[in-house]
Amino acid sequence: MVRKFIRILTFLLSITLLVLTLALTWEFPTVAQTIPGLGMSSDEEISVKPYVPVFNRGNLEIAPVFLDGKIIGTIASFIKLDSNTNKNQASIYSAVVRSQLIHSKLQKILHNMSNYTQEVLPKQGISTIEAQEKELRKQIVTTSSESKGTTFVSVTFPKNDVPEIIYSVTQADIERPRFGGSQPLKIAKHAKEITENILIQAWKERQTPYLLAQAQLAMLLLVALTCTSLTLGWIQKQLTIRQRKLKDSLSNSETIQLEDNQTFSSSKITEKFRAIAPQFDRLSIEQRYSLHAFYNSTLFWTQWLVWLLGIGYISSLFYWSRSWSNWMVGVTIRGSRAEEVIVGWAPLDWILSFGREASLGTPLFILLLLLVARLTIKGGDVLTNFLARRWSEQKSIQKRQTLRVSTLARVSKAWLRAIVYLLLGVTLLHHLHQLGTFTQVVTVFVGFISFALSLASQNLLKDLIAGLMILSEDQYAVGDWIVIDGKDGLVESITLRVTKLRNLDGELITIPNGSIGVVRNLSSEWSQVNYAIEVAYDADVDRVMGVMEAIAKQLYCDPQWQEQILEAPRVLGIDKIAHTGIEIRLIIKTQPMQQWLVAREFRRRLKKAFDEQGIEVGVPQQVMYVNGPVSKTSNGNFKINTQHQN
């Protein structure tokens, strides 16, 4: 239990750190949905550009109006204004500025209402919420009037104070589609009617009974979030255990059973299928592994999504944290009309309106990007492995096709990751640009980096094109033994940029695809033992060839070697007659990558046969010419006699 508590606490701290990091990275929009005590008191104090989303409808831009972080209505302005259209001072303001002006004035009145109920009414003996609400309704005076061609709504609190103009009807407001009539006076009267109720409701949400009820709801939601997270974490742990088992199986795929936990017996499969069975089993295991990885990733990001949405909803329960909710989850005006605001949910409305009438919060937007990116990658792995296995089943009698399927599957996964990360980066940069993060200096720096990358990408483009040709022409695949410019080795991996070889010394050789010229593939489709041996010059060549042919046929008929040898060996005959001996050549067609093993066994058997038959290998022949008489000594050696002349 202690470990689980520590994990939950760590998870919550991680979310807090993430939120704080994002708050420091991007402009934190608390100004838009002002926290009490930070509200604007006058129009001149609006110096910071608030974060207020704007939505376009025809030639109008619509912006929500906030009070304590809650949308109480929407305001309109023209996208492009003509000088003849500006009939009053409010018409020159954009929707964002008008929204902030209304918000700051209402926030000031709400602040005065709170002070009035805390300082004035208790002195008069009015302390209950119901009695204070009645007194507030008496003190709030909302009026709609027209002066000099401008219709406006004013609020007075307390009733003996100076009226505050809250809202002026502009031409943009008149041209908005509405059901209650487009006459300026009707629009103002409707705004007057809802203003008092909005202020009273906002005041009630600041009172202790309401806050205690919301706190209880927040605790229940927090418990539900914790239980949900623990459940998802337990399921994720089980999937992780299964993933580890499958990963161990991949490292030792020769001993892996298929999904039905039954291995193929030698009597039920052909020799060729037995040769590719390890590759087929590996594809099956990789498919199951990628499927578990997809489920695991889904659960992981679902936990983050659940916590973010849960914290966002809990933040929306309180007036002081509602701005956090708008920043984390988003804002929506979908379904709202000029006369009223229909409560919606920003993420759902963002999907249904394709982003035209709702905006996502920055944390949720980034989290959804990461979620979509990771699930796309994991889902792509599952689909790639599924298609690779299906293709391998259709081509199961050809080992070469299985090798090629495995290679193409790896390259496809790598390219899917590259494309997803590229799109993710472009989307994030676009979002940062919309938030105004890019200054002129940053833009120049990014342009310089882009120019430098374009110059350095010439060789990269050459490597990518060469890699594409290698894969499309099937020059070699993972598992082949190839020779490139005198460097030979087993192909460990192929990407569109490089090819990696592992030689017999264990060295990893990385070769850019653009520099690859002639390639010798020693294991494509089939391999061959090209064996030549020199025997003594005076040996009986017919007898020697008979012995070689007999040993080769014996090896071909051996049950342990029948799978590796595809055709009956052939003795080609005498290739060369030289002073070192007579060279006789033999070839044996084998399975790919089996030529060296078969050649070693053939040489071992041939050596034993030559020893039994008394056949000697070739020895260089030398002739010595001497001058003078030769005599034989007593020990059997020869001696050259020299004569001395006087």
Side-chain angles (χ1 to χ4, degrees):
M1 292 298 295
V2 176
R3 291 183 178 180
K4 291 183 178 179
F5 177 76
I6 293 175
R7 288 181 59 188
I8 296 172
L9 183 61
T10 304
F11 187 75
L12 293 175
L13 290 176
S14 300
I15 294 178
T16 304
L17 289 176
L18 176 63
V19 172
L20 291 176
T21 302
L22 293 173
L24 294 175
T25 305
W26 289 282
E27 181 182 357
F28 190 63
T30 51
V31 180
Q33 305 86 19
T34 312
I35 296 177
L38 300 179
M40 305 298 180
S41 59
S42 64
D43 302 350
E44 291 77 8
E45 294 181 9
I46 304 176
S47 58
V48 180
K49 181 180 178 180
Y51 177 79
V52 178
V54 179
F55 307 95
N56 295 334
R57 289 183 179 177
N59 64 334
L60 299 177
E61 58 179 16
I62 310 297
V65 179
F66 296 95
L67 180 61
D68 278 349
K70 180 187 293 186
I71 297 179
I72 60 174
T74 56
I75 205 73
S77 67
F78 289 106
I79 295 178
K80 293 183 179 180
L81 297 176
D82 296 328
S83 58
N84 296 330
T85 308
N86 300 334
K87 295 183 178 180
N88 52 58
Q89 185 67 18
S91 299
I92 66 174
Y93 293 136
S94 64
V96 172
V97 175
R98 294 188 66 196
S99 171
Q100 184 62 14
L101 286 171
I102 297 173
H103 163 265
S104 62
K105 293 176 180 180
L106 290 177
Q107 198 74 43
K108 184 180 68 173
I109 294 174
L110 181 60
H111 182 69
N112 293 336
M113 291 171 60
S114 298
N115 292 336
Y116 186 79
T117 55
Q118 293 174 4
E119 299 175 3
V120 178
L121 293 183
K123 295 180 180 180
Q124 300 176 2
I126 303 175
S127 58
T128 62
I129 301 252
E130 293 77 8
Q132 288 183 350
E133 180 181 350
K134 291 181 180 179
E135 187 62 26
L136 287 177
R137 291 187 180 276
K138 295 178 182 179
Q139 295 295 329
I140 296 178
V141 179
T142 58
T143 58
S144 59
S145 57
E146 184 176 358
S147 175
K148 298 181 181 180
T150 301
T151 306
F152 55 87
V153 176
S154 61
V155 177
T156 305
F157 184 87
K159 60 183 179 180
N160 57 355
D161 202 351
V162 179
E164 180 84 29
I165 297 178
I166 300 296
Y167 168 65
S168 298
V169 181
T170 65
Q171 188 64 29
D173 297 323
I174 296 174
E175 294 188 8
R176 287 189 63 182
R178 60 182 68 245
F179 298 105
S182 299
Q183 293 81 3
L185 195 56
K186 287 187 176 181
I187 297 174
K189 286 182 178 180
H190 178 75
K192 177 184 73 71
E193 293 172 357
I194 65 175
T195 300
E196 179 180 344
N197 294 330
I198 289 173
L199 290 171
I200 293 296
Q201 180 62 31
W203 172 82
K204 292 172 64 176
E205 291 179 359
R206 292 171 173 241
Q207 306 310 306
T208 302
Y210 181 86
L211 294 177
L212 290 177
Q214 297 298 89
Q216 293 178 359
L217 178 59
M219 292 298 297
L220 291 176
L221 291 175
L222 192 59
V223 172
L225 285 175
T226 304
C227 294
T228 303
S229 181
L230 290 176
T231 303
L232 295 177
W234 181 83
I235 299 175
Q236 185 181 356
K237 184 178 180 180
Q238 301 303 315
L239 289 174
T240 303
I241 295 175
R242 295 183 183 180
Q243 272 189 271
R244 291 175 181 173
K245 293 181 180 179
L246 291 174
K247 189 174 182 179
D248 295 338
S249 301
L250 285 175
S251 62
N252 190 18
S253 59
E254 295 181 356
T255 60
I256 293 301
Q257 298 177 343
L258 296 178
E259 293 182 359
D260 57 358
N261 295 324
Q262 296 179 354
T263 56
F264 286 114
S265 62
S266 58
S267 60
K268 292 183 180 181
I269 59 175
T270 63
E271 297 176 359
K272 291 183 179 180
F273 188 80
R274 194 183 302 116
I276 69 166
Q279 288 288 341
F280 183 81
D281 292 349
R282 185 176 183 84
L283 290 175
S284 176
I285 298 170
E286 286 182 351
Q287 180 184 353
R288 294 162 58 190
Y289 180 83
S290 61
L291 191 60
H292 282 77
F294 176 79
Y295 293 151
N296 203 339
S297 183
T298 302
L299 291 174
F300 173 79
W301 290 104
T302 299
Q303 288 189 72
W304 279 94
L305 186 62
V306 167
W307 274 104
L308 192 146
L309 294 178
I311 293 176
Y313 183 77
I314 292 175
S315 300
S316 68
L317 299 178
F318 305 97
Y319 70 93
W320 65 75
S321 60
R322 203 167 285 143
S323 58
W324 284 73
S325 177
N326 294 336
W327 177 66
M328 293 174 62
V329 179
V331 174
T332 176
I333 62 169
R334 183 176 180 270
S336 64
R337 298 191 298 268
E339 294 83 8
E340 59 180 336
V341 175
I342 300 176
V343 179
W345 192 44
L348 180 61
D349 292 343
W350 183 78
I351 296 174
L352 295 177
S353 65
F354 299 98
R356 293 192 299 266
E357 297 181 349
S359 64
L360 293 180
T362 299
L364 180 59
F365 179 76
I366 295 177
L367 180 60
L368 287 179
L369 281 182
L370 295 176
L371 185 148
V372 172
R374 293 301 299 172
L375 293 188
T376 300
I377 291 174
K378 297 300 182 181
D381 292 346
V382 174
L383 180 61
T384 301
N385 290 329
F386 173 76
L387 295 177
R389 188 184 178 191
R390 290 292 299 271
W391 190 12
S392 180
E393 289 175 349
Q394 296 174 2
K395 307 284 185 178
S396 58
I397 61 173
Q398 300 180 9
K399 183 179 180 180
R400 181 65 194 171
Q401 295 295 336
T402 306
L403 290 177
R404 191 181 183 193
V405 165
S406 179
T407 303
L408 293 176
R410 295 183 184 182
V411 174
S412 300
K413 293 176 185 178
W415 267 95
L416 177 62
R417 282 165 170 75
I419 293 173
V420 169
Y421 290 142
L422 178 62
L423 293 177
L424 178 62
V426 171
T427 305
L428 285 176
L429 290 177
H430 177 70
H431 186 67
L432 291 176
H433 176 68
Q434 287 185 330
L435 292 178
T437 306
F438 288 142
T439 61
Q440 185 176 2
V441 177
V442 175
T443 304
V444 172
F445 178 75
V446 172
F448 176 78
I449 295 297
S450 301
F451 178 72
L453 291 176
S454 64
L455 294 179
S457 63
Q458 296 180 9
N459 292 333
L460 177 62
L461 183 61
K462 180 181 178 182
D463 294 337
L464 296 179
I465 295 176
L468 183 62
M469 297 303 296
I470 290 172
L471 293 174
S472 62
E473 295 173 0
D474 192 24
Q475 296 181 15
Y476 51 85
V478 174
D480 281 335
W481 191 279
I482 63 175
V483 180
I484 301 176
D485 296 333
K487 302 177 181 64
D488 65 321
L490 183 70
V491 180
E492 277 200 351
S493 67
I494 303 175
T495 65
L496 289 184
R497 197 185 73 83
V498 297
T499 297
K500 295 182 179 180
L501 307 179
R502 181 79 66 175
N503 61 15
L504 292 178
D505 295 329
E507 300 172 342
L508 182 64
I509 304 172
T510 302
I511 306 174
N513 293 332
S515 63
I516 296 176
V518 179
V519 179
R520 294 170 54 199
N521 193 334
L522 306 183
S523 59
S524 178
E525 301 292 344
W526 52 271
S527 298
Q528 186 166 271
V529 177
N530 183 13
Y531 181 71
I533 186 173
E534 288 187 349
V535 296
Y537 188 83
D538 57 352
D540 186 352
V541 294
D542 292 334
R543 179 165 163 262
V544 172
M545 288 190 294
V547 172
M548 293 178 65
E549 186 176 4
I551 296 300
K553 288 184 178 179
Q554 180 185 5
L555 181 64
Y556 175 67
C557 296
D558 192 333
Q560 295 182 354
W561 295 92
Q562 284 181 345
E563 298 178 6
Q564 284 77 17
I565 303 176
L566 299 178
E567 297 179 359
R570 290 184 297 161
V571 179
L572 300 182
I574 299 174
D575 263 6
K576 184 173 65 173
I577 300 176
H579 70 283
T580 57
I582 301 174
E583 184 179 89
I584 302 175
R585 189 174 299 277
L586 169 141
I587 59 173
I588 306 174
K589 190 174 182 180
T590 68
Q591 292 280 2
M593 302 287 292
Q594 299 298 316
Q595 66 269 33
W596 299 292
L597 189 62
V598 173
R600 295 188 188 100
E601 179 64 19
F602 176 75
R603 284 193 291 266
R604 186 186 70 83
R605 298 190 181 194
L606 186 63
K607 173 63 171 61
K608 294 176 62 176
F610 276 8
D611 292 343
E612 294 174 357
Q613 297 295 329
I615 300 174
E616 297 181 356
V617 296
V619 178
Q621 303 293 322
Q622 295 182 354
V623 178
M624 181 179 295
Y625 296 92
V626 298
N627 293 325
V630 179
S631 61
K632 190 173 185 180
T633 63
S634 59
N635 58 6
N637 296 327
F638 292 92
K639 181 180 72 173
I640 302 175
N641 297 323
T642 59
Q643 296 180 354
H644 299 280
Q645 297 180 356
N646 296 326

